[in-house]
Amino acid sequence: MNKFGFYSAKSLLLGTVCLGVMIPAGNVLADGVVLEEVVVTAQQREQSLSDVPVSVAAISGAKMQEQAMTRMDDIQFAIPNFSITETGIGTNVFIRGIGSGINQGFEQSVGMFVDGIHHGRSQQARAPFFDVERIEVLRGPQPILFGKNSVAGAVNIVSARPTDEFEGYANVGYETIDQEKTASLVVSGPITDNLKVRVAGRYHDFDGYLTNTTLNRSEPQQEDWTLRGTAELDVSDTFSVRLKVERSEFDTIGRNIEIANPNPSTHPSFTGLTYGQILVLGLGQDASALDQVIDGNRHSNGDFSFNKQTEIVLGLDWQLGDHDVTATSGYSGFSYSDNCDCDFTGANVFSLPLEEDYKQYSQEIRIPSPGGEKFNYTLGAYYQSSSHEFKDRIIIDGSSALVPVLSGHPQLAPIVDALIGGGALPAGTTVGDLFANTAGPREATVDAETYSTFAQLSYDLSDRVTFQFGGRLTHETKDGARNLTITQIDGSPLEGIQLFSPDFYAAAFRIGSSNMLDSFAPLSLVYGKHPVAGSRSETNFTPDVKVQFHVSDDTMLYANWVRGRKSGGFDFRANNKGASATMEEAFQFEDELATNYEVGGKLSLADGAAELNFAAFFTKFDEMQISVFDGALGFNVGNAAKAEVKGLEVDGRWQASQNLTLSGSVAYTDFEFKEYFNGQCYIGRTPDGPLADDGFCDYSGQTNQLVSDWQGTIGVDHVYPVNDSVELKTSVDMFFTSTYNASASNDPALQQDGYAKINARIGLSSTNTGWEVAVLARNLTDEKVMQFGGDAPLAGSSFLAKTNYVFMGRGRSVTIQATKRF
């Protein structure tokens, strides 16, 4: 969208929100028209959204089913200030511009919870979901009731529960452009007088929307299934048990990555050639690598991601006098096996298989007060233990394009010649011989335990004013270790001339492996040396203070002060010690701190026919955990950034008539790094700032990746009664965003202009038979936008030809849906 189009969209959105406020105030509505109440559990008890002193956006399960929202990346286009994007080796989730960087060792800044169970691993955000009651996105730190690591906010997913009456539905969908197929079946109801169950299953198959010209196939192909069973047993009038068992697998073949923005090389052997031309014309690689524009085609030798997730949740509810006590026990197991063709081209450069295995056990107990008193409270305790293993492996086979390029490396070739002259290497040895058919397997582990107690206390100072104070005391221990050893490609120990390979891996790729020899320079002092291990033990307290003022029965204002904390840990993916003095020092990173100030309000208008919610916030972040690309193949983690984020969020709904609902939202966000001296320089940017001598760039005063100044939505839903038993349902919604940068390094070449996405749905349903047939069109304007990007690995550092990789979003889709309810 051009600049004029964007500002027109913004004006339209602001006008719609204002209109939704002014028209109801004019008393033009028919009597008795009211909005349907939105119930949330943002404070771990069911409340009307209008009573919650937090900025919350909620999407109902019915809305998600109609709009075919089955993944987190669908939700981001319905909620301003919330974004999610896949990266080459992970997933980033952001709220209000804050998210964790690329490292499997990070806890997530946005806490994700499914039926009360914490999902702390980034790739769990890729898991599909269905048959949910609602999804709530809580913006701002949520340290008390949602616990550690929710410094940016929390996503609370609530699955649908068994029903008292027999019901269910079958749903199928077929997308006509990219051949996407979905089928779901849900059955729920009582088995006996005191036992009810719900069984839900879903299967999804997708051919992809890009063409991999190297392998002549569509990508990314997706296949996933989920099976969930939930049972609730009333043991007595005062004691009940609920059990949920869920298994899902979600697999992807290929990626949505394209190569773009090629620059001519300054390498003496390839001067003037672009990266693709070097690979194809200079090194004889597959001709598909010549495609270096964003055109819906990609080239790759093959990527995949095979994911498995198992979750078991046992809940106990019992009444102790006037108190309803809840205990939740959970097991969450998650694993994946990925292969990243991480040069992101159709040439054979290198590949990176990854594996992660995570097991978590948790136990929580909550004791709320009966409610309705002058003094109310929620008390609780939480325990979690986890075992986390991560493996990856850099692979350079004998036919890799790196082998001949490294043989002519201007710094490495003379070193080989000197070793030959000294008799350490036989005559005729090349640099490439030391890399051909080698690998760099890495293993990292963390075992952790967390104990915490928490309380949220509220006191009614008057009939209109309530003061709330909360606190969480957390003790956490972690033991971590990481090792990286250069081996032969099959994993066996190096032999012969390749005993020198670890030193050349250090010189070329900055890898401090365990079997370095320091044969020609003290590289272990420069880059550090594996293995490395460490232990952490810390205790902290996070407070939360809120004041609510009920101006009237229809207006509630609030003010919050919250301190949040994301726990420190161990760096899983570093190849070296970076700017730290030792590898042990570099291995650990410290807690990230957030302080949030917020004022807001929840207004009911026109006798309940309309509502308006707003929140203004200011958040300070200290010791921000950052992940910095080391310029070759790795990422180094540390605490170096301070940032401030301020903004305004407004959303509203208006039941204009019995059959017409209008909704809208808008968010303004101003993000600024106050101190960020050790940022990653994109290829071509000269290091600057206080740490320029160490190769870093100063990002102080700049914004963060994926942060838009403006985002918003507009929605229109209409129901037209064709006759007594048939309804025609139509809906149109729009999401828009202003300009943002898709890269962590704010590369000007990866700036995404503002755009708007429009969805529309029309469905015909029978209230008698339960049938509905609908057509859903998403992204009608066919916007294909950059979701994430960066410097193509090794293109600039080894081939001296700056080039970008870009994750591209999906274009227009048209889905035919059929649903039968019973």
Side-chain angles (χ1 to χ4, degrees), residues 477-734:
T477 61
K478 291 182 177 179
D479 296 305
R482 188 185 71 218
N483 196 14
L484 193 159
T485 303
I486 306 304
T487 69
Q488 296 188 55
I489 199 168
D490 62 1
S492 59
L494 298 171
E495 298 177 346
I497 63 171
Q498 289 190 334
L499 290 173
F500 291 92
S501 297
D503 289 355
F504 283 85
Y505 263 82
F509 304 137
R510 308 178 187 180
I511 293 178
S513 60
S514 66
N515 50 348
M516 295 170 61
L517 301 177
D518 286 346
S519 58
F520 54 84
L523 295 176
S524 61
L525 296 179
V526 177
Y527 297 115
K529 192 171 184 177
H530 284 84
V532 62
S535 296
R536 297 178 58 83
S537 178
E538 55 193 24
T539 302
N540 57 69
F541 178 75
T542 50
D544 181 351
V545 179
K546 294 182 172 70
V547 178
Q548 289 179 259
F549 176 37
H550 290 272
V551 180
S552 67
D553 292 341
D554 297 326
T555 302
M556 185 270 285
L557 304 178
Y558 68 87
N560 298 342
W561 175 81
V562 184
R563 290 294 302 271
R565 181 184 294 264
K566 187 175 79 166
S567 63
F570 303 104
D571 186 347
F572 274 15
R573 294 215 70 259
N575 290 330
N576 51 61
K577 65 184 181 66
S580 299
T582 65
M583 190 73 90
E584 288 72 21
E585 179 183 317
F587 184 45
Q588 295 196 38
F589 52 91
E590 300 304 318
D591 288 7
E592 178 177 293
L593 307 176
T595 304
N596 185 62
Y597 306 86
E598 183 170 315
V599 295
K602 308 288 177 78
L603 287 71
S604 176
L605 305 169
D607 296 326
E611 67 180 17
L612 181 70
N613 309 311
F614 68 89
F617 62 90
F618 174 73
T619 311
K620 295 179 64 175
F621 286 87
D622 294 295
E623 298 296 326
M624 285 186 68
Q625 298 167 4
I626 58 172
S627 177
V628 180
F629 184 56
D630 67 7
L633 290 175
F635 292 84
N636 294 320
V637 171
N639 300 77
K642 295 183 178 181
E644 293 181 355
V645 192
K646 54 182 177 289
L648 176 67
E649 296 156 348
V650 182
D651 67 83
R653 292 189 300 152
W654 174 31
Q655 191 72 49
S657 71
Q658 194 68 43
N659 298 323
L660 177 63
T661 306
L662 305 179
S663 59
S665 61
V666 65
Y668 169 74
T669 306
D670 180 9
F671 184 106
E672 182 182 359
F673 284 115
K674 305 305 290 186
E675 291 183 10
Y676 187 4
F677 303 134
N678 62 332
Q680 167 191 344
C681 301
Y682 60 82
I683 298 295
R685 177 177 173 178
T686 302
D688 55 24
L691 299 178
D693 291 344
D694 295 319
F696 293 114
C697 284
D698 184 0
Y699 283 85
S700 302
Q702 299 188 34
T703 188
N704 201 7
Q705 67 182 115
L706 304 178
V707 176
S708 304
D709 288 344
W710 291 94
Q711 286 190 342
T713 64
I714 296 175
V716 180
D717 293 272
H718 184 263
V719 179
Y720 175 76
V722 177
N723 55 42
D724 291 342
S725 62
V726 177
E727 295 179 335
L728 182 68
K729 298 181 178 180
T730 56
S731 65
V732 178
D733 62 83
M734 182 185 77

